[in-house]
Amino acid sequence: APTGVTFGLSWPRGELKKEESVHLRREGGATLPTQTWPLAYWPDGSIKWLGVAVVAGSGDGDSFTVVKGVGLAPDKPVTVGQPGIEIIRLVDTGTMTLEVGDRGRYLIQEIVRDKRSAVGGVELAMVLEHRRRDGRNEVREREPFVGIVEQLTVEQSGPVRACIKLTGRYRGEQSGRLMMPFTVRLVFYA
């Protein structure tokens, strides 16, 4: 099955200008839909490191060449949208649709594939164990925590790769205490 791949490429000073694009070409010469973004610059403003995302399958071969110039867009680009005033982002990969929450306990609220809901209510969980002595006995008490999303940032929104960063803290199910920050990145490919 086609698989999303992300990697970085280094460039010699002055070889790739900020406004230039690159894409991947298969051994036979066909172009693969490619998404790129700068990761670091040389002092002269040229690109030092470039992030690259592509979706490739076994039929695409084993050898690829990086070529300057604008490549093809995917047939079904991945998109990230916000339907109305909802507190979710709707991610459409062309194969499935996901509702990603930007507040509350659910990172992914629902995954729909082939017009059927496949998963709902994906959340982070943690258990904090308290130990104390009661005379000669050790007492262990466990407190469940759930991850609470406090902020959503769309870091990339396609056309080949989308990345959503979720940050928040864990909340005690019994105490309501907030502790231990988390960061989760959800990456989707067309």
Side-chain angles (χ1 to χ4, degrees):
T3 303
V5 179
T6 299
F7 58 94
L9 286 174
S10 62
W11 289 85
R13 183 185 311 237
E15 188 166 319
L16 185 64
K17 305 291 186 248
K18 221 187 285 193
E19 62 279 353
E20 290 182 297
S21 298
V22 301
H23 62 276
L24 289 184
R25 187 174 287 164
R26 292 185 282 210
E27 198 170 85
T31 298
L32 287 174
T34 309
Q35 180 177 329
T36 63
W37 60 98
L39 297 171
Y41 296 96
W42 287 103
D44 68 358
S46 63
I47 293 176
K48 185 176 192 177
W49 279 97
L50 186 69
V52 181
V54 65
V55 176
S58 59
D60 290 316
D62 297 327
S63 182
F64 303 92
T65 305
V66 177
V67 180
K68 285 186 180 181
V70 178
L72 298 174
D75 293 336
K76 295 179 182 176
V78 64
T79 60
V80 178
Q82 183 173 1
I85 59 170
E86 297 294 321
I87 59 166
I88 61 168
R89 295 302 185 277
L90 196 61
V91 180
D92 187 350
T93 69
T95 304
M96 63 181 156
T97 305
L98 302 94
E99 292 180 0
V100 179
D102 68 358
R103 284 191 291 277
R105 71 186 296 158
Y106 297 113
L107 280 69
I108 297 176
Q109 297 184 8
E110 185 178 34
I111 299 174
V112 177
R113 183 177 175 133
D114 299 326
K115 299 184 181 177
R116 291 185 307 222
S117 181
V119 174
V122 176
E123 60 187 0
L124 296 175
M126 173 183 84
V127 175
L128 180 63
E129 183 176 274
H130 304 281
R131 295 182 185 187
R132 61 180 173 83
R133 302 250 348 118
D134 186 7
R136 294 173 48 198
N137 299 321
E138 181 181 71
V139 178
R140 295 180 185 193
E141 297 169 341
R142 294 178 180 207
E143 182 181 2
F145 280 74
V146 65
I148 301 297
V149 175
E150 296 172 338
Q151 183 176 5
L152 178 148
T153 305
V154 177
E155 293 183 331
Q156 292 180 318
S157 58
V160 175
R161 178 183 191 260
C163 181
I164 295 178
K165 176 182 167 185
L166 301 170
T167 56
R169 292 180 288 169
Y170 287 92
R171 182 181 68 205
E173 294 278 51
Q174 297 151 358
S175 67
R177 177 171 59 147
L178 290 171
M179 63 182 292
M180 290 189 59
F182 66 83
T183 299
V184 173
R185 281 186 172 81
L186 303 173
V187 178
F188 308 95
Y189 292 91

